[in-house]
Amino acid sequence: QAFFYLLLCVPRGSSCPPSCQCTERAGAKAVLCSSRHLEEIPKDIPKDAVFLKLDANSITRIPSNAFRHLSHLEELDLSRNAIEKIDRAAFKGVAAGLRTLDLSSNRIRSIPKEALLALNAKLRLANNPWHCECALQEVLWEARLDPDSVQDITCHTAPREEYVGKPLLQVLDAGVNFCSVRQRTTDVAMFITMFGWFTMVIVYVICYVRHNREDTCKHVDYLKSLPSTQGHAE
């Protein structure tokens, strides 16, 4: 009975995942899951976790609502994993309180801007094989990036070969605007589409007129033939 009552006294959500170590840091719960060969984010992270380290694992994806139940979370370290995909709602539920988010040294090529722009956390995005594009540019201008790691956000691929291998900040400082390039591409596509529709309408009108002209000519010829037919009959 004493053991049963003891279990009832343990706060819910305070258990520690078997692959992690839970400890107290300055009176706040820290969950340490570094270098544990994890391939996904543990499901049973304590709800009162304030510090969460998941670095140096083999995590490949951050799914939607992965940390939604961690309303007290302030620091999240996901560096040195194999992350390739981050869902739009990956950090939903922790946006308000999160102070630092480390995504450096992963395999991230692109990221939905919605996943990061809602955060107030200081971001570390260095040492990823980034594809330099409009969404990444918007993240750079609008998100709170760690100033010590901004220079290490490098273009692994880009629309033009001359940008490859250069820090994104350097490319943007040179006057490049990936968003305007995308806008011009969209405008050209819309122009081509409109021109195609306009051409189809013109062709239809021409065919319609020609068809009606042929029908009119046939009808006129028929009418002209009527009197001569009647004359022969008399």
Side-chain angles (χ1 to χ4, degrees):
Q1 283 186 336
F3 179 72
F4 176 73
Y5 288 124
L6 181 62
L7 288 177
L8 292 178
C9 294
V10 176
R12 292 186 63 185
S14 62
S15 60
C16 193
S19 56
C20 305
Q21 177 186 359
C22 296
T23 183
E24 295 289 326
R25 183 190 298 177
K29 175 160 289 186
V31 182
L32 311 178
C33 310
S34 306
S35 304
R36 300 300 175 97
H37 306 289
L38 298 175
E39 296 183 357
E40 60 181 18
I41 298 166
K43 306 292 186 184
D44 48 355
I45 297 172
K47 295 181 179 180
D48 55 347
V50 176
F51 307 99
L52 177 57
K53 288 183 66 65
L54 290 163
D55 56 303
N57 283 292
S58 302
I59 299 170
T60 59
R61 180 189 172 208
I62 314 263
S64 296
N65 303 311
F67 309 99
R68 190 171 186 173
H69 64 292
L70 304 179
S71 57
H72 300 284
L73 195 61
E74 295 182 6
E75 296 184 15
L76 176 58
D77 187 354
L78 288 160
S79 64
R80 297 184 296 152
N81 273 280
I83 299 170
E84 296 180 352
K85 180 175 176 55
I86 298 177
D87 291 355
R88 294 177 183 273
F91 304 106
K92 187 175 182 179
V94 297
L98 202 61
R99 293 191 289 114
T100 63
L101 172 60
D102 194 343
L103 291 167
S104 59
S105 301
N106 277 283
R107 300 176 184 173
I108 307 170
R109 296 189 70 253
S110 63
I111 188 170
K113 64 180 181 180
E114 296 84 358
L116 297 182
L117 295 184
L119 298 174
N120 294 318
K122 184 182 293 185
L123 299 172
R124 298 188 183 98
L125 303 175
N127 301 317
N128 281 287
W130 291 108
H131 174 65
C132 289
E133 57 181 349
C134 181
L136 183 59
Q137 175 180 319
E138 290 177 341
V139 168
L140 188 67
W141 289 140
E142 299 181 36
R144 292 185 59 229
L145 297 179
D146 183 356
D148 295 332
S149 64
V150 172
Q151 288 294 339
D152 293 322
I153 301 176
T154 304
C155 296
H156 184 74
T157 57
R160 298 178 61 174
E161 188 68 26
E162 61 190 274
Y163 306 145
V164 175
K166 293 183 178 180
L168 177 59
L169 190 62
Q170 178 183 332
V171 173
L172 297 178
D173 285 344
V176 177
N177 189 335
F178 293 106
C179 295
S180 66
V181 170
R182 185 179 69 176
Q183 184 62 45
R184 286 198 299 270
T185 303
T186 303
D187 292 344
V188 170
M190 290 181 62
F191 175 79
I192 293 174
T193 302
M194 292 177 64
F195 180 77
W197 278 107
F198 180 75
T199 303
M200 289 176 62
V201 171
I202 295 298
V203 170
Y204 173 79
V205 171
I206 293 173
C207 292
Y208 180 79
V209 170
R210 285 182 177 178
H211 180 71
N212 284 351
R213 182 181 297 175
E214 291 176 358
D215 287 347
T216 302
C217 291
K218 288 179 181 180
H219 186 65
V220 170
D221 291 341
Y222 172 74
L223 293 176
K224 287 180 179 180
S225 67
L226 288 178
S228 60
T229 304
Q230 293 176 354
H232 284 300
E234 291 176 358

